[in-house]
Amino acid sequence: MFNWKNFLKLIEKKTLGIINVTNDSFSGDGILNSKNLLDQKFDLAFKNNINFLDVGCMSTKPDFKMLSTVEELNRLNFFVENMSDKFYYSIDTFNSSVAERALDSGFLVINDVSGFVDSKMIELAIQRECGIIVMHRNPVSENIHQKGDYSDVVDQVNSHLMLQTENLINKGVNKSQIAIDPGLGFGKKMDDSKELFLNLNNLINTYPVVVGYSRKKFTEHINMTENEMIEHCIDSGVDLLRLHVGN
């Protein structure tokens, strides 16, 4: 059974490095079908003491296009055929077939930006006893980028995350498997993401917290340097920063 408390002791740096196996990443750093670019990412991560990598094979930028399962699996297969054994891996997907293939290939964590709304993904997490990262999802949103209306974004995100995690536990997921992500830039207006970021210390602390703000537009409206944002997250009790390798 995966246990986040124990796993986090193995992480050399409080960083979950992003690897985009895509050709349409919003940040322009996709490495699809380029072993050379992938090796450069591995080298950069290793030199920066990042030993936990989050691998995504489909862009989830605003107005992203869904890939077929076959195409997403093909991209994952390219990565698996060239992956390094120097790192721990999570898979960034909301496709249970892709997540299963990743787990079969030695990945330890499923990072589902849709918030584990798919019953097949939940069943997979239960059966495989893997780690999961549960991203905040507004219960009335029809998709991950539909903007929600918030009167108190911190309080409402906390409430939604509690409902999401309680639902997973009631279905059979073990509490030790769960980490949470407030979903900065997903289904939130820019001011809402900024407010959440500035109040990370007020997020629920029942589970390890993963935060991804890297290269997102709302950060342009925060008067902090990159190092100050990292320090702010750590001082706020964040357990893992999901950052682009070479950020």
Side-chain angles (χ1 to χ4, degrees):
M1 175 73 70
F2 184 93
N3 184 299
W4 272 105
K5 183 178 179 181
N6 294 336
F7 178 68
L8 287 169
K9 295 175 184 176
L10 304 175
I11 304 305
E12 296 174 11
K13 197 172 183 178
K14 285 193 170 188
T15 302
L16 175 56
I18 299 169
I19 301 291
N20 289 313
V21 189
T22 63
N23 58 2
D24 59 348
S25 167
F26 83 94
S27 59
D29 66 342
I31 52 88
L32 181 61
N33 295 329
S34 175
K35 186 178 185 304
N36 183 50
L37 288 176
L38 178 57
D39 287 341
Q40 289 178 31
K41 290 288 184 184
F42 286 146
D43 289 343
L44 197 55
F46 187 75
K47 288 175 183 176
N48 284 280
N49 298 316
I50 298 170
N51 66 338
F52 186 25
L53 299 175
D54 190 43
V55 180
C57 301
M58 181 176 71
S59 172
T60 51
K61 65 184 179 181
D63 301 319
F64 72 95
K65 294 181 179 179
M66 287 290 295
L67 291 181
S68 68
T69 298
V70 170
E71 177 58 27
E72 194 173 353
L73 283 170
N74 284 340
R75 294 181 178 192
L76 177 61
N77 288 337
F78 159 75
F79 179 85
V80 168
E81 289 166 3
N82 296 285
M83 65 194 287
S84 167
D85 60 4
K86 295 178 181 177
F87 306 95
Y88 302 106
Y89 296 103
S90 68
I91 181 68
D92 176 358
T93 188
F94 44 80
N95 185 314
S96 60
S97 297
V98 174
E100 184 172 21
R101 170 76 172 105
L103 294 176
D104 289 342
S105 303
F107 286 54
L108 300 177
V109 174
I110 301 171
N111 178 17
D112 181 356
V113 298
S114 72
F116 282 85
V117 295
D118 177 22
S119 60
K120 290 182 180 178
M121 191 73 93
I122 296 170
E123 189 58 36
L124 180 65
I126 294 168
Q127 290 177 351
R128 304 298 288 269
E129 299 183 338
C130 59
I132 65 174
I133 300 173
V134 183
M135 183 178 284
H136 167 256
R137 172 90 176 243
N138 190 315
V140 301
S141 295
E142 294 180 4
N143 60 67
I144 61 174
H145 284 301
Q146 182 180 331
K147 300 289 189 292
D149 290 317
Y150 299 96
S151 55
D152 184 333
V153 67
V154 178
D155 183 63
Q156 287 169 276
V157 165
N158 277 335
S159 296
H160 296 159
L161 282 168
M162 286 301 295
L163 288 173
Q164 287 174 264
T165 53
E166 286 171 4
N167 175 57
L168 292 170
I169 289 171
N170 288 338
K171 289 183 176 179
V173 175
N174 192 287
K175 184 177 178 180
S176 71
Q177 294 175 256
I178 299 174
I180 59 170
D181 181 337
L184 300 174
F186 283 87
K188 298 170 185 70
K189 297 167 186 169
M190 213 166 310
D191 285 346
D192 293 329
S193 289
K194 177 182 175 181
E195 183 73 11
L196 261 180
F197 181 83
L198 294 176
N199 289 280
L200 290 172
N201 60 308
N202 292 320
L203 284 177
I204 55 173
N205 57 9
T206 313
Y207 305 95
V209 176
V210 181
V211 168
Y213 63 83
S214 184
R215 301 180 185 174
K216 292 182 179 176
K217 198 163 183 64
F218 78 89
T219 60
E220 297 173 8
H221 302 276
I222 293 175
N223 189 27
M224 294 183 191
T225 65
E226 179 60 35
N227 285 337
E228 286 171 340
M229 285 193 285
I230 291 172
E231 289 175 12
H232 165 72
C233 289
I234 292 172
D235 290 344
S236 299
V238 171
D239 296 278
L240 277 176
L241 302 178
R242 185 178 180 276
L243 300 175
H244 289 83
V245 175
N247 196 48

